[in-house]
């Protein structure tokens, strides 16, 4: 461990802190990141997601002309956005920081980063994404693809019910993108959903819910073939602030990528009475790859 001179942090320590922090950012994952496709480090201002439609077999007739089935193909673009966080360090905490590169300041920086990753993935699941295709004339066409209304279950002035859960799960079967096709399905839940589910006597019966879940009062891990991940920052539903919108999705429905944290450092701010500061800027982005693999569910709270 490099020794600082009195109350100053040496350049050797700053480099070690930066290296240690970079390793920590790669080892720590947000709650949602493990549920989607992680593209890793991205070079540039954006990354692309290729999508390809399906084709079907047709009857064969002897000596007939060859007919082609050309699947619809498009290239989606996820635009990187820069996020920053800078934290002042109390002078009394500098000796502790020198002793431990993974001090509480680094931990709260990492926690803020993970929450931002979750937010970006959630927005990508429900938001729009730009898509480029080539028409029959060979010309490029740009469009903005939103989550279609057929993939949204409105609240109907009801909370989160077993009917909505079963209906949402059936969408994945209809679209041939459930666990039978090798997909892993996840749903996000907040405290209101948890309360509504635990108060539903049908859902909490032995036929529906495991004994362990009843004992712990949690939906974490897998239930009904779905991974349940807690996320309390759900947006409002179509009905406004009396509703929330959760989402059920597959691992391949969204791609995420980020860039290395730039200029992450600990330095002294002469313009702020020589207080120490740590922080940096990171670019990150996420984009939806397929609308059939995402179902939004509105419910009242």
């Amino acid at each position: 461990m490099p020794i600082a001179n009195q109350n100053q942090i040496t350049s050797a320590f700053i480099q070690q802190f930066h290296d240690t922090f970079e390793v920590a950012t790669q080892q720590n994952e947000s709650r949602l990141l493990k549920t989607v496709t992680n593209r890793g480090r991205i070079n540039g201002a954006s990354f692309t997601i290729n999508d390809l439609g399906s084709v079907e077999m047709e009857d064969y007739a002897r000596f007939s002309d060859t007919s082609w089935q050309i699947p619809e193909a498009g290239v989606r673009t996820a635009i990187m956005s820069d996020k920053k966080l800078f934290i002042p360090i109390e002078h009394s905490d500098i000796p502790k920081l020198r002793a431990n590169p993974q001090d509480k300041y680094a931990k709260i920086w990492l926690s803020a980063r993970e929450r931002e990753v979750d937010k970006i993935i959630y927005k990508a699941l429900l938001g729009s994404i730009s898509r480029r295709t080539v028409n029959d004339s060979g010309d490029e066409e740009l469009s903005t693809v939103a989550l279609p209304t057929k993939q949204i279950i409105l609240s109907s002035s009801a909370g989160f019910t077993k009917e909505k859960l079963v209906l949402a799960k059936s969408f994945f079967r209809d679209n041939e993108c459930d666990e039978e096709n090798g997909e892993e399905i996840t749903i996000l839940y907040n405290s209101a959903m948890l309360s509504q589910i635990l108060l539903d006597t049908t859902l909490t019966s032995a036929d529906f819910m495991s004994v362990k879940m009843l004992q712990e009062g949690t939906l974490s891990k897998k239930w009904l073939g779905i991974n349940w991940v807690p996320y309390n920052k759900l947006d409002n539903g179509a009905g406004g602030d009396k509703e929330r919108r959760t989402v059920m999705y597959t691992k391949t429905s969204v791609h995420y990528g980020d860039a290395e944290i730039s200029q992450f450092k600990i330095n002294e701010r002469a313009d702020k009475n020589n207080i120490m500061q740590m922080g940096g800027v990171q670019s990150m982005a996420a984009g939806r790859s397929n609308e059939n693999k995402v179902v939004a569910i509105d419910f009242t709270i």
Side-chain angles (χ1 to χ4, degrees):
M1 173 69 64
I3 303 299
N5 297 324
Q6 297 180 351
N7 211 28
Q8 300 298 312
I9 293 179
T10 65
S11 59
F13 174 84
I14 290 174
Q15 183 61 48
Q16 179 183 349
F17 192 100
H18 181 278
D19 294 344
T20 304
F21 190 85
E22 276 290 339
V23 170
T25 62
Q26 295 174 40
Q27 292 177 343
N28 286 271
E29 279 195 345
S30 71
R31 288 176 177 172
L32 272 59
L33 182 54
K34 56 184 160 235
T35 68
V36 299
T37 301
N38 187 355
R39 297 278 292 272
R41 294 299 195 207
I42 302 297
N43 293 319
S46 65
F47 66 89
T48 59
I49 306 166
N50 297 326
D51 61 56
L52 188 65
S54 61
V55 294
E56 300 293 340
M57 297 291 288
E58 60 184 18
D59 292 334
Y60 170 74
R62 296 181 64 194
F63 307 117
S64 61
D65 293 337
T66 299
S67 60
W68 286 340
Q69 291 194 43
I70 302 176
E72 182 184 0
V75 178
R76 300 167 183 238
T77 303
I79 307 297
M80 304 289 284
S81 59
D82 294 336
K83 306 293 180 178
K84 67 176 181 177
L85 179 59
F86 294 92
I87 304 172
I89 303 171
E90 290 287 343
H91 286 291
S92 60
D93 283 344
I94 291 177
K96 305 173 192 174
L97 189 67
R98 290 204 310 264
N100 183 9
Q102 292 179 313
D103 190 69
K104 62 183 180 181
Y105 289 100
K107 291 178 180 177
I108 62 175
W109 206 107
L110 280 170
S111 296
R113 171 187 175 271
E114 290 170 9
R115 289 194 299 272
E116 189 64 29
V117 171
D118 285 346
K119 178 181 176 182
I120 286 176
I121 292 173
Y122 175 74
K123 297 293 185 184
L125 283 162
L126 298 174
S128 299
I129 185 169
S130 62
R131 184 173 185 260
R132 185 174 70 253
T133 58
V134 178
N135 60 27
D136 294 338
S137 301
D139 299 322
E140 284 193 354
E141 295 181 347
L142 293 176
S143 61
T144 300
V145 182
L147 187 67
T149 55
K150 69 181 182 66
Q151 296 294 118
I152 301 174
I153 300 174
L154 298 178
S155 73
S156 301
S157 300
F160 188 82
T161 63
K162 58 183 176 294
E163 289 82 9
K164 292 179 180 178
L165 180 60
V166 171
L167 179 59
K169 184 72 184 295
S170 71
F171 284 12
F172 294 92
R173 178 84 294 276
D174 289 341
N175 295 331
E176 294 283 357
C177 56
D178 58 3
E179 59 271 18
E180 295 296 327
N181 293 80
E183 292 281 4
E184 185 176 345
I185 301 176
T186 296
I187 189 171
L188 306 183
Y189 74 94
N190 66 359
S191 55
M193 282 176 64
L194 177 61
S195 299
Q196 293 171 6
I197 290 172
L198 292 177
L199 289 173
D200 189 317
T201 56
T202 303
L203 286 176
T204 54
S205 70
D207 293 336
F208 280 82
M209 189 175 290
S210 67
V211 175
K212 181 177 176 62
M213 189 179 298
L214 284 172
Q215 291 174 339
E216 297 181 353
T218 177
L219 293 176
S220 295
K221 302 177 183 177
K222 187 162 284 193
W223 175 44
L224 298 178
I226 303 169
N227 294 314
W228 293 74
V229 176
Y231 183 69
N232 266 344
K233 293 188 176 181
L234 301 178
D235 286 347
N236 293 344
D241 58 6
K242 297 298 183 182
E243 297 180 5
R244 294 293 182 269
R245 175 164 290 182
T246 187
V247 59
M248 188 184 292
Y249 58 95
T250 71
K251 189 176 181 69
T252 59
S253 65
V254 163
H255 292 210
Y256 170 86
D258 59 31
E260 292 185 2
I261 299 172
S262 65
Q263 301 178 344
F264 182 86
K265 63 176 67 174
I266 305 172
N267 61 343
E268 187 177 274
R269 291 289 301 274
D271 59 329
K272 298 292 183 181
N273 296 321
N274 293 330
I275 196 168
M276 299 301 292
Q277 167 189 286
M278 67 163 284
V281 179
Q282 182 166 27
S283 296
M284 51 184 70
R288 190 175 57 246
S289 64
N290 190 315
E291 284 64 49
N292 287 335
K293 297 181 178 182
V294 177
V295 178
I297 310 169
D298 289 358
F299 62 96
T300 58
I301 57 174

